[in-house]
Amino acid sequence: MRRRVRENVRRLTEDGGGGRLMEDEAARFYFEKHLFVTTVSLQSPPERETERFRGLILLPPMDSVNDGKLSAEGFCVAARAFADKWKRHNQLLPPWSWIPLINRTLIVPNKEEGYLSLEKIILSSLEEEADSSEKEVSTDDTILKITEEECLDVTAEDLESIDHTILVQNVEKEAHYYDFNVVYSASYRVPVLYFRGYCSGGQPLSLDVIKEDLPSGSVGLLLESKWTFITQEEHPYLNRPWFKLHPCGTEEWIKLLSAAGCQIPVELYLVSWFSVVGQVVGLRIPHEMLN
Amino acid sequence: MDEKESPQTILQFAPLNSSVDEGFWHSFSSLKLDKLGIDDSPISITGFYAPCSHPQVSNHLTLLSESLPSDDSIHGNRNKCPVPGILYNTNTVESFNKLDKQSLLKAEANKIWEDIQSGKALEDCALLSRFLVISFADLKKWSFRYWFAFPALVLDPPASLIELKPASEYFSTEEAESVSAACNDWRDSSATTDVPFFLVSISSDSKATIRHLKDFESRQGDDQKLLFGFYDPCHLPSNPGWPLRNYLALIRSRWNLESVCFFCYRESRGFADLNLSLVGQASLTLSSDGSAETVPNSVGWELNKGKRVPRSISLANSMDPTRLAVSACDLNLKLMRWRALPSLDLNVLSSVKCLLLGAGTLGCQVARTLMGWGIRNITFVDYGRVAMSNPVRQSLYTFEDCAGRGEFKAVAAVKSLNQIFPAVESSGVVMAIPMPGHPISSQEEESVLGDCNRLRDLVESHDAVFLLTDTRESRWLPSLLCANANKVAINAALGFDSYMVMRHGAGPTSLSDDMNKKDGQRLGCYFCNDVVAPQDSMTDRTLDQQCTVTRPGLAPIAGALAVELLVGVLQHPLGIYAKGDNSSSSNDDGSPLGILPHQIRGSISQFSQMTLLGQASNSCTACSETVVSEYRERGNSFILEVINHPTYLEDLTGLTELKKAANSFNLDWEDDDDIDDDDVAVDL
């Protein structure tokens, strides 16, 4: 299996069109590594098992993914299956929730539409952020400066300084929160990971700060790799700028997975997909999810 | 937690903290701009909170975009228990500072007190956590100043803490199991999941039941233990969170209890976590007269990093349309780099400064295409005004620019670029380019020489110069200046249905460079192939010859090619020294964009296009070493002589001699006399 993956990678690397995508050495290495993990665990489940699974979610049998793309209906199925597996196997993180959307397309009134959301995740361990709160203070010149007098006139008049029932806390280390959304891209026909980071008070984190929170390898890898990069774009449903991992290459590398000898059942599409993209943002999925 | 167990310790509460989602400010900004205007009356809002779900981090009271009033009713869920609040938004920072914070807090505390007295708080217990926000939204800078208050009724004397320990230690194993199960049911039921205050009663056989507060009277008697449970946002093992304060006030006022057993409900991954949850015993001092009339004092303004100051947040990065436009445009280019052109150097493009001589059909097209490539620094030179006939062909202008005498093109073009892309750095210079063969009087001398100096400075302060004027002779001085300063010059010219786009070679003085020694040849400039010096081409011409009458599709084609040619030069490792490729050239010397020709000529009547190569001529009237040295030695007096004496350049460069000798210089372009600027050469 491993050899086959390598050969596929090599083939893709050498041929003209797709080769360009993978020509980068670091990306190739990264890919081989992950493909191995993913494909080994993604061996098609025994037939009966698959059917049972399909029966459970009451859907007609779905085709496997060969071309790396996913239909909108397939996305809903895959999203449910992914969230379900995540809940069962991921003990450390809260579950993903499916955010349904009021249908906006008049053509197919009953078509389901929505996205997956995982909110308020604290990525980096709090102990590590010794002095990040210092940096936060000096954020932006455009913030209204608060003058001394304004602080004083409040203290003078209020009772709170003499209320001993208020616990005086040390200024807490600022935690960084992350929200993740998995949104279906109709134009690329693949899932897209959107994310954003913010401080406890709500101030959004800049990409530079976010990069410090990402796993140490991610940033360099993203810089060099040809399979994705972080960009900022308007969230298709929330209409505010979020960061996202660009979906240009998704189709190609999902294709690579299926070319490696294992057809990906639609239900497992998001699991395989997330096993790669999740690592970029520090969300590893447990091994059991891939079985 | 242990040291708190000694009796007579004052019960201390961990303050609640606020968190305002970016989405709230986005929605609030539109509400303010589209609907409220200067109306600053208080707005009812909804905050959300949930039990603590992380051993190291407390939960916050959060404002989301749905916190603002809307037609849809608010749906709480397990992670979003709705809490009523009120927002006082002021129109100025001064009025924000002048708000009487104590009175505002007191007013909200009174509402809480009234709800306790009336029993409303038993029906809808979220009323106990009522909150208040004051804010000032600076919508020009996308920054917001705000201050939360979580009004708490102060017990006097304060409650004392008898004991406080993790719920898992307080309960027996059976009780713990039953309490967990009951809590999980409560949290899983959509009817109760967002009800943050509740009663936990445990019967003698260790069975726990959870009830609403309003059922307090009905349950009494049959239970062994009664705990006052609430969703605790606080994570500390040593203190209960803020919501307990008004809860105790309610318990004391409604039910007159002296000893209260409270249960701080916290969870992990959506399930009750009794290690994190606390159970505590507090003793309350009952008021002697049971005075419902006197409202207790209240506290609750949120601290900002331990200080009594408002908070502020800047959202310029996600709300400033200019910044958003910049990042969106960058993204497009990055995509191109990532997808098709990995070695594309975007920094070179964003930093290059382009000088556009002429802001007509070609100038407009060139500027637009430059912006498409992420080029941000564009200067226009033009002396004309926008005429009524211009906007339909000159893509930067509109009808409004023609009003009155018409706006100067150099000015209107800059305005237009800023409208298209506000982050562009563009400027316009209204100036005529001095031309050979257009003699000037001595009175004009000073101003013309001033223009020469300005043009020289402009060429020197830019990296690339586009020659886009409508006459041949106006290109002479810029060609000379570019050769002199060794700047990239891109030249585009239109005939009626044919066009020519070329890049000039390096200047003659750069010949000492190793780069050129290797080839020994420079690429030619616009004038290299000519055997006549530029002269007046405008006098004695019919109107259709004077005005550049061309097929409308030409300018966009030629303008786009001119920019692509510049980008090719900028991306080429040899830059201005890159040799001229033709269509059959293999692309080995590494420009990521493919071949880099010297000249492109095309004809719409044939729908054909070809690339050409011409080396620099030693007798060139603009870029030859003779001319450039003469200019360097004599400066403006040389230019004056050129302007005033039509034959001077030809004499200087030896063209006069040459013309007598032969006409072998003619290229194979006899058919192409539509290229207006070549007319003179061809007519020979």
Side-chain angles (χ1 to χ4, degrees), chain A residues 63-91:
Chain A
D63 291 331
S64 298
V65 174
N66 295 320
D67 58 355
K69 291 178 188 157
L70 193 62
S71 66
E73 294 78 14
F75 175 73
C76 295
V77 174
R80 295 272 157 88
F82 170 74
D84 191 45
K85 270 180 168 273
W86 176 278
K87 198 171 180 178
R88 268 186 287 140
H89 296 293
N90 205 328
Q91 296 303 315

PDB file of all heavy atoms in Angstrom, chain A residues 63-91:
ATOM      1  N   ASP A  63     -22.444   6.760  -4.218  1.00  0.00           N
ATOM      2  CA  ASP A  63     -21.229   6.369  -4.910  1.00  0.00           C
ATOM      3  C   ASP A  63     -20.009   6.736  -4.099  1.00  0.00           C
ATOM      4  O   ASP A  63     -20.051   7.614  -3.255  1.00  0.00           O
ATOM      5  CB  ASP A  63     -21.149   7.075  -6.264  1.00  0.00           C
ATOM      6  CG  ASP A  63     -22.204   6.544  -7.196  1.00  0.00           C
ATOM      7  OD1 ASP A  63     -22.572   5.362  -7.035  1.00  0.00           O
ATOM      8  OD2 ASP A  63     -22.673   7.314  -8.048  1.00  0.00           O
ATOM      9  N   SER A  64     -18.961   6.049  -4.375  1.00  0.00           N
ATOM     10  CA  SER A  64     -17.711   6.445  -3.767  1.00  0.00           C
ATOM     11  C   SER A  64     -17.179   7.649  -4.517  1.00  0.00           C
ATOM     12  O   SER A  64     -17.618   7.966  -5.613  1.00  0.00           O
ATOM     13  CB  SER A  64     -16.699   5.313  -3.844  1.00  0.00           C
ATOM     14  OG  SER A  64     -17.189   4.226  -3.117  1.00  0.00           O
ATOM     15  N   VAL A  65     -16.236   8.309  -3.893  1.00  0.00           N
ATOM     16  CA  VAL A  65     -15.679   9.495  -4.497  1.00  0.00           C
ATOM     17  C   VAL A  65     -14.461   9.120  -5.325  1.00  0.00           C
ATOM     18  O   VAL A  65     -13.490   8.601  -4.803  1.00  0.00           O
ATOM     19  CB  VAL A  65     -15.287  10.504  -3.405  1.00  0.00           C
ATOM     20  CG1 VAL A  65     -14.570  11.674  -4.023  1.00  0.00           C
ATOM     21  CG2 VAL A  65     -16.514  10.941  -2.651  1.00  0.00           C
ATOM     22  N   ASN A  66     -14.538   9.336  -6.616  1.00  0.00           N
ATOM     23  CA  ASN A  66     -13.394   9.015  -7.464  1.00  0.00           C
ATOM     24  C   ASN A  66     -12.706  10.258  -7.986  1.00  0.00           C
ATOM     25  O   ASN A  66     -11.511  10.304  -8.153  1.00  0.00           O
ATOM     26  CB  ASN A  66     -13.845   8.188  -8.674  1.00  0.00           C
ATOM     27  CG  ASN A  66     -14.372   6.842  -8.235  1.00  0.00           C
ATOM     28  OD1 ASN A  66     -13.812   6.227  -7.336  1.00  0.00           O
ATOM     29  ND2 ASN A  66     -15.450   6.420  -8.862  1.00  0.00           N
ATOM     30  N   ASP A  67     -13.508  11.293  -8.227  1.00  0.00           N
ATOM     31  CA  ASP A  67     -12.927  12.471  -8.877  1.00  0.00           C
ATOM     32  C   ASP A  67     -12.516  13.538  -7.863  1.00  0.00           C
ATOM     33  O   ASP A  67     -12.180  14.642  -8.228  1.00  0.00           O
ATOM     34  CB  ASP A  67     -13.926  13.051  -9.885  1.00  0.00           C
ATOM     35  CG  ASP A  67     -15.246  13.437  -9.222  1.00  0.00           C
ATOM     36  OD1 ASP A  67     -15.406  13.165  -8.018  1.00  0.00           O
ATOM     37  OD2 ASP A  67     -16.105  14.020  -9.903  1.00  0.00           O
ATOM     38  N   GLY A  68     -12.559  13.184  -6.588  1.00  0.00           N
ATOM     39  CA  GLY A  68     -12.128  14.138  -5.574  1.00  0.00           C
ATOM     40  C   GLY A  68     -13.191  15.153  -5.213  1.00  0.00           C
ATOM     41  O   GLY A  68     -13.006  15.970  -4.329  1.00  0.00           O
ATOM     42  N   LYS A  69     -14.332  15.111  -5.911  1.00  0.00           N
ATOM     43  CA  LYS A  69     -15.370  16.110  -5.646  1.00  0.00           C
ATOM     44  C   LYS A  69     -16.535  15.510  -4.878  1.00  0.00           C
ATOM     45  O   LYS A  69     -16.732  14.299  -4.867  1.00  0.00           O
ATOM     46  CB  LYS A  69     -15.886  16.680  -6.957  1.00  0.00           C
ATOM     47  CG  LYS A  69     -14.860  17.528  -7.667  1.00  0.00           C
ATOM     48  CD  LYS A  69     -15.436  18.015  -8.982  1.00  0.00           C
ATOM     49  CE  LYS A  69     -14.377  18.707  -9.813  1.00  0.00           C
ATOM     50  NZ  LYS A  69     -14.730  18.704 -11.233  1.00  0.00           N
ATOM     51  N   LEU A  70     -17.298  16.398  -4.290  1.00  0.00           N
ATOM     52  CA  LEU A  70     -18.408  15.985  -3.462  1.00  0.00           C
ATOM     53  C   LEU A  70     -19.622  16.792  -3.897  1.00  0.00           C
ATOM     54  O   LEU A  70     -19.515  17.980  -4.157  1.00  0.00           O
ATOM     55  CB  LEU A  70     -18.038  16.320  -2.000  1.00  0.00           C
ATOM     56  CG  LEU A  70     -18.840  15.768  -0.850  1.00  0.00           C
ATOM     57  CD1 LEU A  70     -18.783  14.243  -0.831  1.00  0.00           C
ATOM     58  CD2 LEU A  70     -18.278  16.292   0.465  1.00  0.00           C
ATOM     59  N   SER A  71     -20.779  16.137  -3.965  1.00  0.00           N
ATOM     60  CA  SER A  71     -21.980  16.892  -4.306  1.00  0.00           C
ATOM     61  C   SER A  71     -22.512  17.565  -3.051  1.00  0.00           C
ATOM     62  O   SER A  71     -22.119  17.233  -1.939  1.00  0.00           O
ATOM     63  CB  SER A  71     -23.038  15.941  -4.871  1.00  0.00           C
ATOM     64  OG  SER A  71     -23.440  15.056  -3.845  1.00  0.00           O
ATOM     65  N   ALA A  72     -23.421  18.514  -3.233  1.00  0.00           N
ATOM     66  CA  ALA A  72     -23.987  19.219  -2.086  1.00  0.00           C
ATOM     67  C   ALA A  72     -24.719  18.234  -1.178  1.00  0.00           C
ATOM     68  O   ALA A  72     -24.628  18.310   0.046  1.00  0.00           O
ATOM     69  CB  ALA A  72     -24.939  20.308  -2.564  1.00  0.00           C
ATOM     70  N   GLU A  73     -25.438  17.291  -1.776  1.00  0.00           N
ATOM     71  CA  GLU A  73     -26.146  16.290  -0.978  1.00  0.00           C
ATOM     72  C   GLU A  73     -25.130  15.416  -0.249  1.00  0.00           C
ATOM     73  O   GLU A  73     -25.287  15.095   0.915  1.00  0.00           O
ATOM     74  CB  GLU A  73     -27.033  15.403  -1.860  1.00  0.00           C
ATOM     75  CG  GLU A  73     -28.186  16.133  -2.524  1.00  0.00           C
ATOM     76  CD  GLU A  73     -27.767  16.940  -3.742  1.00  0.00           C
ATOM     77  OE1 GLU A  73     -26.634  16.725  -4.238  1.00  0.00           O
ATOM     78  OE2 GLU A  73     -28.538  17.815  -4.181  1.00  0.00           O
ATOM     79  N   GLY A  74     -24.073  15.049  -0.984  1.00  0.00           N
ATOM     80  CA  GLY A  74     -23.020  14.241  -0.385  1.00  0.00           C
ATOM     81  C   GLY A  74     -22.396  14.950   0.802  1.00  0.00           C
ATOM     82  O   GLY A  74     -22.062  14.328   1.810  1.00  0.00           O
ATOM     83  N   PHE A  75     -22.282  16.261   0.700  1.00  0.00           N
ATOM     84  CA  PHE A  75     -21.691  17.017   1.802  1.00  0.00           C
ATOM     85  C   PHE A  75     -22.532  16.886   3.069  1.00  0.00           C
ATOM     86  O   PHE A  75     -22.018  16.683   4.162  1.00  0.00           O
ATOM     87  CB  PHE A  75     -21.536  18.488   1.415  1.00  0.00           C
ATOM     88  CG  PHE A  75     -21.047  19.361   2.548  1.00  0.00           C
ATOM     89  CD1 PHE A  75     -19.732  19.282   2.972  1.00  0.00           C
ATOM     90  CD2 PHE A  75     -21.908  20.246   3.191  1.00  0.00           C
ATOM     91  CE1 PHE A  75     -19.274  20.066   4.021  1.00  0.00           C
ATOM     92  CE2 PHE A  75     -21.466  21.030   4.239  1.00  0.00           C
ATOM     93  CZ  PHE A  75     -20.147  20.942   4.657  1.00  0.00           C
ATOM     94  N   CYS A  76     -23.854  16.988   2.918  1.00  0.00           N
ATOM     95  CA  CYS A  76     -24.731  16.868   4.085  1.00  0.00           C
ATOM     96  C   CYS A  76     -24.566  15.501   4.732  1.00  0.00           C
ATOM     97  O   CYS A  76     -24.458  15.387   5.959  1.00  0.00           O
ATOM     98  CB  CYS A  76     -26.185  17.076   3.681  1.00  0.00           C
ATOM     99  SG  CYS A  76     -26.509  18.736   3.090  1.00  0.00           S
ATOM    100  N   VAL A  77     -24.521  14.477   3.893  1.00  0.00           N
ATOM    101  CA  VAL A  77     -24.362  13.118   4.413  1.00  0.00           C
ATOM    102  C   VAL A  77     -23.013  12.978   5.126  1.00  0.00           C
ATOM    103  O   VAL A  77     -22.923  12.516   6.262  1.00  0.00           O
ATOM    104  CB  VAL A  77     -24.453  12.097   3.260  1.00  0.00           C
ATOM    105  CG1 VAL A  77     -24.138  10.703   3.761  1.00  0.00           C
ATOM    106  CG2 VAL A  77     -25.830  12.155   2.627  1.00  0.00           C
ATOM    107  N   ALA A  78     -21.971  13.435   4.425  1.00  0.00           N
ATOM    108  CA  ALA A  78     -20.631  13.298   4.970  1.00  0.00           C
ATOM    109  C   ALA A  78     -20.477  14.109   6.254  1.00  0.00           C
ATOM    110  O   ALA A  78     -19.806  13.686   7.201  1.00  0.00           O
ATOM    111  CB  ALA A  78     -19.606  13.742   3.931  1.00  0.00           C
ATOM    112  N   ALA A  79     -21.128  15.263   6.296  1.00  0.00           N
ATOM    113  CA  ALA A  79     -21.011  16.123   7.470  1.00  0.00           C
ATOM    114  C   ALA A  79     -21.646  15.453   8.687  1.00  0.00           C
ATOM    115  O   ALA A  79     -21.075  15.446   9.775  1.00  0.00           O
ATOM    116  CB  ALA A  79     -21.677  17.469   7.197  1.00  0.00           C
ATOM    117  N   ARG A  80     -22.814  14.883   8.490  1.00  0.00           N
ATOM    118  CA  ARG A  80     -23.483  14.176   9.586  1.00  0.00           C
ATOM    119  C   ARG A  80     -22.614  13.034  10.087  1.00  0.00           C
ATOM    120  O   ARG A  80     -22.417  12.853  11.291  1.00  0.00           O
ATOM    121  CB  ARG A  80     -24.821  13.612   9.114  1.00  0.00           C
ATOM    122  CG  ARG A  80     -25.825  14.656   8.737  1.00  0.00           C
ATOM    123  CD  ARG A  80     -26.646  15.091   9.955  1.00  0.00           C
ATOM    124  NE  ARG A  80     -27.204  16.426   9.751  1.00  0.00           N
ATOM    125  CZ  ARG A  80     -28.366  16.664   9.158  1.00  0.00           C
ATOM    126  NH1 ARG A  80     -29.100  15.677   8.739  1.00  0.00           N
ATOM    127  NH2 ARG A  80     -28.802  17.897   9.016  1.00  0.00           N
ATOM    128  N   ALA A  81     -22.110  12.250   9.135  1.00  0.00           N
ATOM    129  CA  ALA A  81     -21.314  11.086   9.505  1.00  0.00           C
ATOM    130  C   ALA A  81     -20.049  11.517  10.244  1.00  0.00           C
ATOM    131  O   ALA A  81     -19.646  10.909  11.234  1.00  0.00           O
ATOM    132  CB  ALA A  81     -20.955  10.290   8.253  1.00  0.00           C
ATOM    133  N   PHE A  82     -19.478  12.599   9.785  1.00  0.00           N
ATOM    134  CA  PHE A  82     -18.254  13.108  10.408  1.00  0.00           C
ATOM    135  C   PHE A  82     -18.530  13.575  11.843  1.00  0.00           C
ATOM    136  O   PHE A  82     -17.834  13.210  12.789  1.00  0.00           O
ATOM    137  CB  PHE A  82     -17.703  14.258   9.558  1.00  0.00           C
ATOM    138  CG  PHE A  82     -16.586  15.022  10.203  1.00  0.00           C
ATOM    139  CD1 PHE A  82     -15.313  14.469  10.305  1.00  0.00           C
ATOM    140  CD2 PHE A  82     -16.799  16.309  10.701  1.00  0.00           C
ATOM    141  CE1 PHE A  82     -14.274  15.170  10.891  1.00  0.00           C
ATOM    142  CE2 PHE A  82     -15.771  17.015  11.302  1.00  0.00           C
ATOM    143  CZ  PHE A  82     -14.508  16.442  11.391  1.00  0.00           C
ATOM    144  N   ALA A  83     -19.590  14.387  11.994  1.00  0.00           N
ATOM    145  CA  ALA A  83     -19.914  14.921  13.317  1.00  0.00           C
ATOM    146  C   ALA A  83     -20.220  13.774  14.283  1.00  0.00           C
ATOM    147  O   ALA A  83     -19.837  13.810  15.464  1.00  0.00           O
ATOM    148  CB  ALA A  83     -21.099  15.872  13.219  1.00  0.00           C
ATOM    149  N   ASP A  84     -20.879  12.775  13.747  1.00  0.00           N
ATOM    150  CA  ASP A  84     -21.262  11.632  14.565  1.00  0.00           C
ATOM    151  C   ASP A  84     -20.022  10.870  15.050  1.00  0.00           C
ATOM    152  O   ASP A  84     -19.877  10.560  16.225  1.00  0.00           O
ATOM    153  CB  ASP A  84     -22.153  10.734  13.701  1.00  0.00           C
ATOM    154  CG  ASP A  84     -22.808   9.660  14.531  1.00  0.00           C
ATOM    155  OD1 ASP A  84     -23.308  10.016  15.619  1.00  0.00           O
ATOM    156  OD2 ASP A  84     -22.802   8.495  14.092  1.00  0.00           O
ATOM    157  N   LYS A  85     -19.121  10.612  14.121  1.00  0.00           N
ATOM    158  CA  LYS A  85     -17.896   9.892  14.472  1.00  0.00           C
ATOM    159  C   LYS A  85     -17.056  10.710  15.447  1.00  0.00           C
ATOM    160  O   LYS A  85     -16.452  10.188  16.377  1.00  0.00           O
ATOM    161  CB  LYS A  85     -17.067   9.609  13.208  1.00  0.00           C
ATOM    162  CG  LYS A  85     -17.406   8.282  12.557  1.00  0.00           C
ATOM    163  CD  LYS A  85     -16.546   8.070  11.325  1.00  0.00           C
ATOM    164  CE  LYS A  85     -16.627   6.652  10.813  1.00  0.00           C
ATOM    165  NZ  LYS A  85     -15.667   5.747  11.450  1.00  0.00           N
ATOM    166  N   TRP A  86     -17.017  11.981  15.201  1.00  0.00           N
ATOM    167  CA  TRP A  86     -16.229  12.884  16.050  1.00  0.00           C
ATOM    168  C   TRP A  86     -16.731  12.818  17.489  1.00  0.00           C
ATOM    169  O   TRP A  86     -15.974  12.728  18.436  1.00  0.00           O
ATOM    170  CB  TRP A  86     -16.360  14.304  15.498  1.00  0.00           C
ATOM    171  CG  TRP A  86     -15.687  15.380  16.290  1.00  0.00           C
ATOM    172  CD1 TRP A  86     -16.166  16.004  17.403  1.00  0.00           C
ATOM    173  CD2 TRP A  86     -14.404  15.966  16.030  1.00  0.00           C
ATOM    174  NE1 TRP A  86     -15.286  16.947  17.841  1.00  0.00           N
ATOM    175  CE2 TRP A  86     -14.189  16.940  17.020  1.00  0.00           C
ATOM    176  CE3 TRP A  86     -13.430  15.766  15.054  1.00  0.00           C
ATOM    177  CZ2 TRP A  86     -13.029  17.725  17.067  1.00  0.00           C
ATOM    178  CZ3 TRP A  86     -12.284  16.537  15.091  1.00  0.00           C
ATOM    179  CH2 TRP A  86     -12.086  17.500  16.094  1.00  0.00           C
ATOM    180  N   LYS A  87     -18.055  12.836  17.615  1.00  0.00           N
ATOM    181  CA  LYS A  87     -18.652  12.832  18.944  1.00  0.00           C
ATOM    182  C   LYS A  87     -18.328  11.525  19.657  1.00  0.00           C
ATOM    183  O   LYS A  87     -18.061  11.516  20.860  1.00  0.00           O
ATOM    184  CB  LYS A  87     -20.171  13.006  18.817  1.00  0.00           C
ATOM    185  CG  LYS A  87     -20.831  13.439  20.116  1.00  0.00           C
ATOM    186  CD  LYS A  87     -22.274  13.815  19.882  1.00  0.00           C
ATOM    187  CE  LYS A  87     -22.921  14.249  21.187  1.00  0.00           C
ATOM    188  NZ  LYS A  87     -24.296  14.671  21.018  1.00  0.00           N
ATOM    189  N   ARG A  88     -18.322  10.439  18.891  1.00  0.00           N
ATOM    190  CA  ARG A  88     -18.087   9.155  19.527  1.00  0.00           C
ATOM    191  C   ARG A  88     -16.619   8.953  19.904  1.00  0.00           C
ATOM    192  O   ARG A  88     -16.308   8.300  20.887  1.00  0.00           O
ATOM    193  CB  ARG A  88     -18.552   8.017  18.604  1.00  0.00           C
ATOM    194  CG  ARG A  88     -19.991   7.607  18.874  1.00  0.00           C
ATOM    195  CD  ARG A  88     -20.379   6.408  18.053  1.00  0.00           C
ATOM    196  NE  ARG A  88     -20.560   6.765  16.655  1.00  0.00           N
ATOM    197  CZ  ARG A  88     -20.159   6.018  15.632  1.00  0.00           C
ATOM    198  NH1 ARG A  88     -19.531   4.877  15.863  1.00  0.00           N
ATOM    199  NH2 ARG A  88     -20.373   6.400  14.395  1.00  0.00           N
ATOM    200  N   HIS A  89     -15.722   9.490  19.107  1.00  0.00           N
ATOM    201  CA  HIS A  89     -14.327   9.127  19.298  1.00  0.00           C
ATOM    202  C   HIS A  89     -13.457  10.234  19.859  1.00  0.00           C
ATOM    203  O   HIS A  89     -12.334  10.003  20.262  1.00  0.00           O
ATOM    204  CB  HIS A  89     -13.713   8.657  17.975  1.00  0.00           C
ATOM    205  CG  HIS A  89     -14.352   7.403  17.463  1.00  0.00           C
ATOM    206  ND1 HIS A  89     -14.221   6.209  18.120  1.00  0.00           N
ATOM    207  CD2 HIS A  89     -15.128   7.186  16.381  1.00  0.00           C
ATOM    208  CE1 HIS A  89     -14.900   5.292  17.440  1.00  0.00           C
ATOM    209  NE2 HIS A  89     -15.462   5.860  16.392  1.00  0.00           N
ATOM    210  N   ASN A  90     -13.934  11.441  19.822  1.00  0.00           N
ATOM    211  CA  ASN A  90     -13.078  12.528  20.256  1.00  0.00           C
ATOM    212  C   ASN A  90     -13.496  13.000  21.643  1.00  0.00           C
ATOM    213  O   ASN A  90     -14.412  13.786  21.801  1.00  0.00           O
ATOM    214  CB  ASN A  90     -13.167  13.679  19.251  1.00  0.00           C
ATOM    215  CG  ASN A  90     -11.929  14.537  19.280  1.00  0.00           C
ATOM    216  OD1 ASN A  90     -11.308  14.689  20.330  1.00  0.00           O
ATOM    217  ND2 ASN A  90     -11.558  15.081  18.145  1.00  0.00           N
ATOM    218  N   GLN A  91     -12.809  12.496  22.633  1.00  0.00           N
ATOM    219  CA  GLN A  91     -13.227  12.761  24.011  1.00  0.00           C
ATOM    220  C   GLN A  91     -12.815  14.147  24.485  1.00  0.00           C
ATOM    221  O   GLN A  91     -13.349  14.677  25.449  1.00  0.00           O
ATOM    222  CB  GLN A  91     -12.628  11.713  24.962  1.00  0.00           C
ATOM    223  CG  GLN A  91     -13.121  10.312  24.691  1.00  0.00           C
ATOM    224  CD  GLN A  91     -14.644  10.212  24.770  1.00  0.00           C
ATOM    225  OE1 GLN A  91     -15.250  10.750  25.689  1.00  0.00           O
ATOM    226  NE2 GLN A  91     -15.255   9.558  23.794  1.00  0.00           N
TER     227      GLN A  91
END
